[in-house]
Amino acid sequence: QVQVVESGGGLVQPGGSLRLSCAASRSIFSFHTMGWYRQAPGKQRDIIATITTAGTNYEDSVKGRFTISRDNAKNTVYLQMNSLKPEDTAVYYCKLTDYTNNYWGQGTQVTVSS
């Protein structure tokens, strides 16, 4: 099975920055869509950013603050998060999609203290 491993979460103060990484066990050229999702306690899991060959898309609450990117040589997708707010606190998940399956990571906790 495809392995998907997120890393880079942690505790930061409001206004701080973090960069999350999503490492895949095979070439990311094999995935037509890659994305980041988040789930806060007691809430549903929401999509926040995607990247395809056509470009990138962002949920309104993170647009202008978060940037999704990829490094094909490292088989890794990134989420750069700037100007973090307490309401960004959640478990962040990476999802990689090919023409057969979705592949999810186990998540990484991001906590923005106030």
Side-chain angles (χ1 to χ4, degrees), residues 81-107:
M81 305 185 295
N82 299 325
S83 302
L84 283 162
K85 305 173 181 179
E87 52 263 45
D88 294 318
T89 296
V91 178
Y92 284 70
Y93 297 90
C94 180
K95 186 180 78 172
L96 311 178
T97 305
D98 62 20
Y99 289 98
T100 304
N101 295 113
N102 295 318
Y103 305 96
W104 289 92
Q106 293 300 305

Side-chain angles (χ1 to χ4, degrees), residues 6-26:
E6 302 101 331
S7 62
L11 174 65
V12 297
Q13 295 183 348
S17 297
L18 285 174
R19 188 177 74 162
L20 306 183
S21 298
C22 172
S25 62
R26 75 183 197 209

Side-chain angles (χ1 to χ4, degrees), residues 24-40:
S25 62
R26 75 183 197 209
S27 173
I28 59 175
F29 282 113
S30 67
F31 306 107
H32 62 73
T33 304
M34 299 173 287
W36 287 95
Y37 296 69
R38 67 185 180 187
Q39 187 168 20

Side-chain angles (χ1 to χ4, degrees), residues 14 20 72 74:
L20 306 183
N72 295 331
K74 296 181 179 179

